[in-house]
Amino acid sequence: MTRFNGCIDLHNGKVKQIVGGSLSDDSPSELKTNFVSKEAPKYYAELYQKFGVTRCHVIKLGPNNDEAAKEALSAWPQGLQVGGGITSDNAQEWIEYGASKVIVTSYLFPDAKFSKERLVNLCHQVGKDKLVVDVSCRRRDKKWVVAMNKWQTMTDMEVNKETLAMLSEYCSEFLIHAADVEGLCKGIDQELVRKLGEWVTIPTTYAGGGQSIEDLALVDSLSKGKVDLTFGSALDIFGGDGVLFADCVAWNKDHQ
């Protein structure tokens, strides 16, 4: 059964909601921001904990986010996953800071080429049960390709049944941002969600384009209950007017 999972996206130390495809190190002026919160990161961590919203992820989008992430983790130790800049050098540190799991993408793709050696080593270092692989992707022709470096750089890995099966041998969960629709509130990538429902064998959270509470039922139907959904810019706690946080909590309670 599809559930609502929470997110805390950090940019320059603030909780924000941005248009995913607008992130660029080379052209920071092109960043499109939908929301900048007046609340500290711990506010959202405490909110998710209070209402039992589990498997939430904290994503550090670029530099100057470590202290903000630590603040969120300290508010709900072992309740939040953390990603953004995770490598073999710091993964264990983030577990010790209180992350339930670490989320990794770019580190697995040196020079945009997948390194199974890095994945295996990281799995051995923190444990399969503590590792989430972020296979966030962008559509290219009729397939989806993993995008790294804040979704700016295309890698050599296609998202399909075979690659997800291989990755799932070394991690306990997937996080998948559909970067082309992230932050647009114009609808989920239905074809991708349907395919994920056919392909995934471990817990998977989809993010990107969610615009109404009905999307939870839609994802449940498309994926046959195998994929969970997170809302960002459409959610009222992030300044949106498409989805009420209270309705998401109610959905989870009614679909346990």
Side-chain angles (χ1 to χ4, degrees):
M1 179 60 70
T2 293
R3 289 175 57 82
F4 162 72
N5 298 334
C7 67
I8 304 175
D9 293 346
L10 301 173
H11 185 259
N12 284 331
K14 300 285 187 179
V15 177
K16 297 184 181 181
Q17 284 296 313
I18 62 176
V19 177
S22 73
L23 275 167
S24 173
D25 291 334
D26 297 329
S27 304
S29 62
E30 295 181 4
L31 179 70
K32 296 177 182 178
T33 303
N34 289 335
F35 173 76
V36 181
S37 180
K38 296 178 181 178
E39 303 288 351
K42 70 175 183 178
Y43 167 83
Y44 294 96
E46 291 169 348
L47 187 68
Y48 291 142
Q49 181 182 32
K50 178 180 179 180
F51 290 100
V53 181
T54 57
R55 290 180 41 227
C56 301
H57 53 273
V58 179
I59 301 296
K60 300 182 288 139
L61 296 168
N64 307 315
N65 291 309
D66 284 359
E67 293 309 312
K70 291 174 187 177
E71 176 188 305
L73 295 178
S74 65
W76 190 8
Q78 306 306 316
L80 302 168
Q81 305 168 2
V82 67
I86 299 298
T87 71
S88 60
D89 292 332
N90 61 26
Q92 187 58 42
E93 285 182 31
W94 284 104
I95 296 296
E96 293 170 2
Y97 288 140
S100 60
K101 300 184 182 186
V102 289
I103 306 167
V104 63
T105 309
S106 296
Y107 175 71
L108 301 180
F109 295 89
D111 299 318
K113 294 180 175 58
F114 175 65
S115 169
K116 187 173 182 179
E117 180 182 5
R118 286 192 173 192
L119 174 62
V120 172
N121 289 342
L122 197 55
C123 175
H124 290 162
Q125 185 177 1
V126 300
K128 178 179 178 177
D129 62 322
K130 296 285 188 183
L131 188 59
V132 180
V133 173
D134 184 336
V135 282
S136 295
C137 55
R138 308 191 81 150
R139 191 187 285 256
R140 289 294 181 265
D141 299 321
K142 294 184 178 181
K143 58 187 179 182
W144 295 269
V145 178
V146 176
M148 57 175 270
N149 187 26
K150 299 188 291 294
W151 311 317
Q152 298 173 58
T153 305
M154 305 306 296
T155 72
D156 64 347
M157 177 177 282
E158 181 182 344
V159 179
N160 56 34
K161 183 176 182 179
E162 290 72 28
T163 56
L164 292 176
M166 180 273 295
L167 293 170
S168 66
E169 294 180 26
Y170 303 98
C171 67
S172 56
E173 195 167 332
F174 291 130
L175 173 62
I176 301 180
H177 291 86
D180 293 321
V181 298
E182 174 77 13
L184 297 179
C185 301
K186 293 183 178 179
I188 64 171
D189 186 333
Q190 295 190 33
E191 188 177 353
L192 175 59
V193 171
R194 183 182 293 108
K195 289 295 186 182
L196 291 174
E198 297 173 7
W199 296 338
V200 298
T201 58
I202 59 177
T204 299
T205 299
Y206 168 91
Q211 60 183 343
S212 72
I213 192 68
E214 286 77 19
D215 284 330
L216 281 164
L218 178 58
V219 170
D220 186 57
S221 174
L222 291 170
S223 72
K224 296 180 172 57
K226 295 175 69 176
V227 174
D228 292 332
L229 176 65
T230 190
F231 291 106
S233 297
L235 198 58
D236 60 345
I237 61 173
F238 296 127
D241 58 8
V243 185
L244 298 178
F245 177 71
D247 288 345
C248 294
V249 172
W251 168 277
N252 282 358
K253 185 176 180 180
D254 293 341
H255 297 82
Q256 292 181 348

